[in-house]
Amino acid sequence: MPKMTMVQALNLALRQEMEKDDRVVVLGEDVGVDGGVFRVTEGLIDRFGPDRVLDTPLAESAIVGMSIGMAVYGLRPVCEIQFSGFTYLNFHQIECHASRLRHRSQGRFTVPMVLRTPYGGNVRALEHHSESREAFYAHMPGLKMVIPSSPRNARALLVSAIRDPDPVIFFEPKAVYRAFREEVPEEEETFPIGQSVLLREGRHVTLITYGALVRPTLEAAERLSKEDGIEADVIDLLTLSPLDDTLFVNSAKKTGRVVIVHEAPRSYGPGAELVARLVERAFYYLEAPVRRLTGFDVIMPLFAREKAYFPNPGRIARAVKETLEVAA
């Protein structure tokens, strides 16, 4: 089984789906001749031609609007917005059309499109290139919101997203794009949208995370196990909407303590929804307040302060210990 980066795994998913289904088209700024700003679409225009790999003008609203039209008329568009901080320009198209057409048409029309976009920071980019605004889309009825964390699950989830009958917002953590390689099978592999996974099993505390912070959270869990004998369940959400709350609620009932880790700003972030569901479904099992370890409520810092913004293994481990002390 070849080892791939996330960029290569995403490219594999696109290539194989385009080979299997003539309705799959790729469009966006520089996705053709240049192969995408991060080279996710590299080589696709040579293989499938400019009729299926479309270089578009610098016009995010037009890219998404055209994708919606393509989807309604039977194609399977996968559009790329170069950075998630530029998706605000197409927000109207997503909110007013993509997310609503199935409901508005009483099921006569669906919008089977995927909006791919790199998101998140810790790569020394500027504010609009490093933001973590997944809550905007996870909050929107009619959309599915997916965030992979590794090459293998990125490939499998993108295949599922392309085949989904409804619009999927696919946030790709660019801090993971080339951070490590993982075995990815050449043969077809999918993973269900709306399902999370238990990456590590423990009994003292539940750690819930997603995206680029999965690896630091796993590192913190390993450190806690070796140095303090604290064993943690680590759950990767993978999909923020629809949210698989069964796995983390059952884990919380088992451990009684929960720490949520994400890089999005704290206030009204995904962690708040997780806390609400834990209170609704596992309140009487909790032995300590649920703790959120998140980004701060500030504009994404520039280079000199960027590292301080993100939860790292040390901060995660401290948060777990403080949570356990509260329970003691």
Side-chain angles (χ1 to χ4, degrees), residues 84 117-121 131-132 134 147 171-175 210-212 263:
S84 65
T117 186
Y119 91 104
E131 293 174 347
S132 189
E134 54 271 29
I147 301 183
F171 267 28
E172 299 165 4
K174 55 182 173 292
Y210 57 88
E263 67 178 89

Side-chain angles (χ1 to χ4, degrees), residues 1-313:
M1 202 182 298
K3 287 192 171 183
M4 298 183 186
T5 64
M6 181 179 282
V7 166
Q8 293 169 325
L10 291 167
N11 182 273
L12 175 66
L14 290 168
R15 176 170 58 79
Q16 291 185 332
E17 286 306 291
M18 294 181 79
E19 287 171 345
K20 289 179 179 175
D21 189 344
D22 291 340
R23 298 173 300 169
V24 179
V25 296
V26 170
L27 66 156
E29 297 157 11
D30 299 325
V31 298
V33 175
D34 288 343
V37 65
F38 290 101
R39 304 297 181 262
V40 171
T41 55
E42 191 167 40
L44 296 181
I45 194 170
D46 299 327
R47 194 175 186 95
F48 300 103
D51 288 341
R52 294 185 64 197
V53 184
L54 286 72
D55 275 322
T56 67
L58 187 67
E60 285 78 7
S61 182
I63 294 167
V64 174
M66 189 160 64
S67 298
I68 295 169
M70 287 177 167
V72 170
Y73 279 90
L75 297 176
R76 296 267 171 173
V78 183
C79 65
E80 177 182 301
I81 302 299
Q82 287 193 340
F83 294 92
S84 65
F86 302 156
T87 62
Y88 314 136
L89 298 164
N90 58 245
F91 201 81
H92 172 79
Q93 295 282 4
I94 293 293
E95 158 59 28
C96 291
H97 301 301
S99 70
R100 295 172 184 260
L101 266 178
R102 177 186 282 278
H103 176 78
R104 182 182 294 153
S105 67
Q106 298 182 336
R108 287 186 299 125
F109 298 109
T110 61
V111 184
M113 63 171 283
V114 180
L115 189 158
R116 292 183 39 249
T117 186
Y119 91 104
N122 226 356
V123 293
R124 296 177 64 80
L126 299 175
E127 52 182 77
H128 277 98
H129 296 69
S130 295
E131 293 174 347
S132 189
R133 298 287 193 264
E134 54 271 29
F136 288 6
Y137 298 102
H139 181 69
M140 200 180 297
L143 295 183
K144 293 170 183 171
M145 173 78 229
V146 176
I147 301 183
S149 60
S150 76
R152 186 165 183 171
N153 63 40
R155 181 274 188 97
L157 283 164
L158 182 56
V159 172
S160 297
I162 292 170
R163 297 178 184 180
D164 198 278
D166 291 305
V168 178
I169 307 298
F170 199 87
F171 267 28
E172 299 165 4
K174 55 182 173 292
V176 183
Y177 264 162
R178 291 184 172 81
F180 65 100
R181 292 176 180 271
E182 186 179 48
E183 289 187 339
V184 179
E186 281 285 345
E187 59 270 20
E188 177 181 304
E189 188 171 64
T190 61
F191 190 85
I193 292 175
Q195 182 174 316
S196 55
V197 293
L198 178 65
L199 299 178
R200 191 181 192 285
E201 192 162 0
R203 63 184 186 279
H204 298 120
V205 64
T206 299
L207 304 181
I208 309 172
T209 188
Y210 57 88
L213 291 190
V214 167
R215 294 182 80 204
T217 303
L218 283 170
E219 185 179 334
E222 289 295 325
R223 186 184 300 182
L224 287 162
S225 175
K226 289 179 181 176
E227 298 177 1
D228 303 284
I230 298 171
E231 301 296 341
D233 269 3
V234 178
I235 294 173
D236 181 356
L237 293 176
L238 292 173
T239 301
L240 295 191
S241 180
L243 185 62
D244 173 14
D245 55 13
T246 300
L247 182 61
F248 70 75
V249 165
N250 287 339
S251 175
K253 289 179 177 177
K254 178 182 71 175
T255 67
R257 299 128 176 138
V258 180
V259 176
I260 297 163
V261 184
H262 64 63
E263 67 178 89
R266 179 187 181 88
S267 296
Y268 305 98
E273 176 65 24
L274 299 175
V275 172
R277 297 204 187 195
L278 287 165
V279 169
E280 289 168 353
R281 298 187 55 191
F283 180 76
Y284 293 108
Y285 296 86
L286 296 176
E287 298 182 32
V290 178
R291 188 181 181 97
R292 287 178 289 167
L293 185 64
T294 70
F296 298 102
D297 291 335
V298 299
I299 300 299
M300 178 63 67
L302 299 181
F303 312 144
R305 299 289 180 267
E306 188 182 41
K307 292 288 183 187
Y309 177 90
F310 293 95
N312 57 39

